[in-house]
Amino acid sequence: MDWDHELDARGLLCPLPVLKARKRLQGMQSGQVLRIVATDPAAVIDVPHFCTEAGHAFLGASEVQDAQVYLIRKA
């Protein structure tokens, strides 16, 4: 899947990946997709929960090398 913006949150621990995602999404247009690359084990729970609370669409997660990748479509 294509994305419009990417956030490298590797090495950051909860709640920083979600806080940085929130800030990045604020500068994006509705419908654009943010790709987050994170190593925080809590992000598996935090990112989908953040999407639900903020109204963004959680498009899924996958693993690449030593990190998880999350895709969010801005509401």
Side-chain angles (χ1 to χ4, degrees):
M1 171 177 231
D2 293 332
W3 62 88
D4 301 290
H5 296 269
E6 183 171 48
L7 172 64
D8 185 352
R10 287 178 277 209
L12 301 178
L13 297 177
C14 180
L16 289 176
V18 168
L19 293 176
K20 288 189 174 284
R22 176 182 296 151
K23 185 173 184 178
R24 181 68 60 93
L25 284 160
Q26 287 175 347
M28 293 171 54
Q29 295 180 3
S30 181
Q32 288 188 316
V33 174
L34 174 63
R35 179 180 190 252
I36 304 169
V37 181
T39 53
D40 179 14
V44 173
I45 297 167
D46 293 345
V47 172
H49 179 73
F50 161 70
C51 291
T52 300
E53 293 296 313
H56 303 302
F58 179 67
L59 303 179
S62 62
E63 289 202 23
V64 292
Q65 297 172 352
D66 61 342
Q68 298 85 37
V69 174
Y70 305 95
L71 294 172
I72 300 171
R73 184 178 313 279
K74 182 174 177 173

